[in-house]
Amino acid sequence: MTHSYDSLFAATGRFIAHASHHDAGGGLLSGLSHPVSGADHVLAMVAVGLWGAQLGRPAVWALPVAFPIAMALGGMLGLTGIPLPGVEIGIAVSAIVLGIMVLAAARPPLWVAAVLVGVFALFHGHAHGTELPPGANGTLYSIGFVISTGLLHAVGIAIGLIHRYDWGKSALRGAGAMVAAGGALFLYQAIA
Amino acid sequence: MIFVESLPAIPGFQSGGLLGHLVQTGFGGFYDGMVHSVVTPEDGMVMVALGLLSALGGKDRARVLVVAMPLAWFVAGAGALMFPSVGPPPLVPTLGFGMVGLLVAFNQVLPGTVFKMLVIALACIHGAASGGAMRETGLGWLGLSGSCVAVFVMVSLLPACLADIRKPAARIALRVGGSWLAAIAMLMIGWAIRSS
């Protein structure tokens, strides 16, 4: 993943190095940190939460249920070496589309939203699956990875709760615009 | 002080080494066995998965879980202690809790008999693995007894906290937990395929 928080990790280098020493071969801490190490992943996963909060029940829960399962399926494909074309482009497009959905306050049927999120989750999962460090502790890594992804959704949902206020509706749509703009930047980087 | 003496590089995927974390508490084999079940991720996840599934089904399912799981765990563990050939094939425990996670995620309340059989089957799988680990690590019957007590405590506490949940939002939170378990299982299966 090219869009990493290099400066952040550089600043916390001592902690990360210390953690890695005890986190034999990449375990729970590696799994927890991997989903947040790519800004494109973070944007898309937070956007899932934002959109879910905007859609309200039952989507606010259905989307975070659909995403991890589809993402893990993509992760399985990546781990087993089954290729998925255009992964980086798919990830960038996911941020664009999800951002636009939030910006437009789109309200498709629940199954459409779930399928859309699920398809994008496949790309994210596949990227994570192919990037998993060799020799890592598979069990603990998987646990940390899924928890971290779920927490990113929770952050998105928590932010999206501003939707209940009048000013919050506009702010949320503004956040959607920023997510879409970020996705466009990542798409440019993926293509260029 | 708890000291993790050995941690396989990829726990859960090594034949015979399944769930083979030896934890020395300093309090003897019984407590070592207790902690073993708590810190072994596969064991913990099957307990959580069945706890969530029983919570979705209500108090009757929770009562079945509290009684059937420790008993079946002990019987299968005893079998593995006495007969070294007894033990689950690799990945079966992972498939087990992943399947339960999917059932929770899709809000499936199983009929009583099916739930009972599922609990017994999964307890036998994990109990056999646990018994094998107790044999390999020399903890023996004492360790297996501690392991079963830990299972009893875990499957008593979790459904006790969750079985009375009736608010739709809280039930959906349980389903999110189920989807996480299913996702973890799928990643672990992919990992195992890559490692093999």
Side-chain angles (χ1 to χ4, degrees), chain A residues 7-145:
Chain A
S7 56
L8 176 64
F9 285 132
T12 57
R14 288 188 63 169
F15 170 73
I16 298 294
H18 181 71
S20 299
H21 176 70
H22 292 286
D23 198 21
L28 187 65
L29 288 176
S30 298
L32 283 168
S33 64
H34 199 262
V36 296
S37 63
D40 44 359
H41 291 299
V42 172
L43 267 187
M45 290 178 206
V46 171
V48 170
L50 292 178
W51 195 28
Q54 197 176 43
L55 290 171
R57 291 177 190 167
V60 66
W61 298 110
L63 300 188
V65 168
F67 195 97
I69 294 176
M71 185 196 67
L73 193 61
M76 266 183 72
L77 296 178
L79 280 163
T80 52
I82 297 172
L84 189 65
V87 170
E88 291 300 324
I89 292 171
I91 290 169
V93 168
S94 74
I96 294 173
V97 173
L98 289 168
I100 289 173
M101 291 295 172
V102 176
L103 171 64
R107 291 190 164 276
L110 178 61
W111 70 268
V112 173
V115 168
L116 195 63
V117 164
V119 169
F120 289 143
L122 277 177
F123 289 104
H124 287 269
H126 193 278
H128 288 310
T130 52
E131 292 166 2
L132 295 186
N137 182 321
T139 307
L140 294 176
Y141 189 98
S142 302
I143 293 170
F145 181 83

Side-chain angles (χ1 to χ4, degrees), chain A residues 57 61 64-65 68-69 72-73 75-76 79-80 129-130 132-134 136-143 145-147 150-151, chain B residues 7-11 13 41-42 45 102 105-106 169 172-173 175-176 179-180 182-184 186-191 193-194:
Chain A
R57 291 177 190 167
W61 298 110
V65 168
I69 294 176
L73 193 61
M76 266 183 72
L79 280 163
T80 52
T130 52
L132 295 186
N137 182 321
T139 307
L140 294 176
Y141 189 98
S142 302
I143 293 170
F145 181 83
V146 172
I147 289 174
L151 291 178
Chain B
L7 187 69
I10 305 174
F13 304 127
E42 291 86 347
M45 281 186 284
L102 277 178
F106 289 105
I172 295 172
R175 295 175 59 187
V176 172
S179 75
W180 287 17
I184 289 167
M186 279 196 269
L187 284 171
M188 286 169 66
I189 290 166
W191 197 287
I193 293 170
R194 187 173 85 164

Side-chain angles (χ1 to χ4, degrees), chain B residues 40-54:
Chain B
T40 303
E42 291 86 347
D43 285 354
M45 281 186 284
V46 79
M47 288 183 241
V48 172
L50 286 171
L52 294 177
L53 189 64
S54 71

